[in-house]
Structure formats: C-alpha cells, structure tokens
C-alpha cells in the first residue's frame, strides 16, 4: 500500500468514514506511518473560521493536543498555508526552496472557487464522476488552479 486511497479501497471505506471510530489510526498503521495528523475546522460568527490540527505518533494511543488558528473566512487559503507551515515546523521538517515555493503558490483566493473545488473532491470520493466534473468546472471558471487527486488541474 502506497497511498491513503489504496488503504481505503482495501478496507472498503471512504474519506468521510475515516473520521469515525478512530479509523484514521488503522489507515496510518496499514501505511506504516509513524505520525498521524488530525485536523478540523469550525465556522465562527462574523465570517470567521477556526482551523485546528494535532499530530501524534501512531504507536501511542493518546489524543493529540490541538493547535488552533483563527482568521477571517475570506482569508482561508492564507490561514491554511500558515497552518501547514506550522505543522511542518512542529514535525521538524526542513523545506527546500522548491517545496516552499509550492506551498506559497496560491491556487485561488476566491472562497467560492475553493468551495466548488472541495465539492468536486467530495464528489470524486463518493464515486460521482459527473458531479465532480461539474464542480471542478465551476471552480476553474472562477480561476481555481488547485490540483486534483492524481496531479491534474481543473
């Protein structure tokens, strides 16, 4: 097994089902991962959002301590990048210039384009190819250039 999708297919699970019953730890073990990262988001009043993440070694059976970042909903992509950089630093990973450039690149600043993109990913996970194509087309017409699974761009 090389990818999360490989593990999910083997188990007959979906991405959504991984959040249930601590299934994500099982997938991490199947992939021989040492570290499991869990995250969530919460929409707050006044057009704000809270992103949180926590990481834990798979061999430990404890709940991770979560780091929370809060910002304006319209700044979601920038907030996400801040979270990714912090997580990478927390894990002790050093990025080279090319990796930093890729993280800094913006696939979209349009929140509606991002939501269409997310809907497309959900549709792909659910095996709804036509709906995914429609969502991805909507994202693309709004200027979204985020990669789809497999590396293609809508």
């Amino acid at each position: 097994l090389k990818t999360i999708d490989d593990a999910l297919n083997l188990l007959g699970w979906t991405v959504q089902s991984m959040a249930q019953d601590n299934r994500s730890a099982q997938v991490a073990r199947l992939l021989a991962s040492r570290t499991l990262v869990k995250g969530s988001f919460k929409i707050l009043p006044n057009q704000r959002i809270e992103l949180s993440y926590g990481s834990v070694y798979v061999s430990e059976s404890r709940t991770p301590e979560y780091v929370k970042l809060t910002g304006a909903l319209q700044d979601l992509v920038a907030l996400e990048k801040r979270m990714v950089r912090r997580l990478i630093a927390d894990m002790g990973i050093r990025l080279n210039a090319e990796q930093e450039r890729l993280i800094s690149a913006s696939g979209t600043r349009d929140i509606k384009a991002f939501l269409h993109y997310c809907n497309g990913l959900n549709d792909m996970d659910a095996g709804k190819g036509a709906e995914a194509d429609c969502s991805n087309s909507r994202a693309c017409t709004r200027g979204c250039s985020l990669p789809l699974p497999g590396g293609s761009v809508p």
Side-chain angles (χ1 to χ4, degrees), residues 61-73:
S61 58
R62 65 175 176 83
T63 302
E65 291 183 30
Y66 285 89
V67 174
K68 294 181 181 182
L69 301 170
T70 305
L73 187 56

Side-chain angles (χ1 to χ4, degrees), residues 55-140:
S55 60
V56 66
Y57 288 109
V58 173
S59 60
E60 299 176 9
S61 58
R62 65 175 176 83
T63 302
E65 291 183 30
Y66 285 89
V67 174
K68 294 181 181 182
L69 301 170
T70 305
L73 187 56
Q74 70 184 23
D75 298 328
L76 173 63
V77 174
L79 188 63
E80 178 191 43
K81 289 176 186 295
R82 219 172 85 210
M83 181 186 71
V84 167
R85 284 188 176 94
R86 187 164 174 181
L87 173 62
I88 289 169
D90 289 351
M91 295 179 77
I93 298 170
R94 290 183 176 262
L95 300 177
N96 64 35
E98 176 62 11
Q99 292 165 326
E100 181 59 40
R101 184 191 66 75
L102 289 170
I103 290 173
S104 295
S106 181
T108 186
R109 285 190 168 89
D110 181 326
I111 193 71
K112 288 185 180 179
F114 182 71
L115 291 174
H116 285 305
Y117 170 78
C118 292
N119 289 336
L121 293 177
N122 287 336
D123 290 338
M124 288 175 74
D125 288 340
K128 299 177 183 175
E131 290 91 337
D133 289 344
C134 182
S135 292
N136 293 328
S137 176
R138 287 182 182 141
C140 188

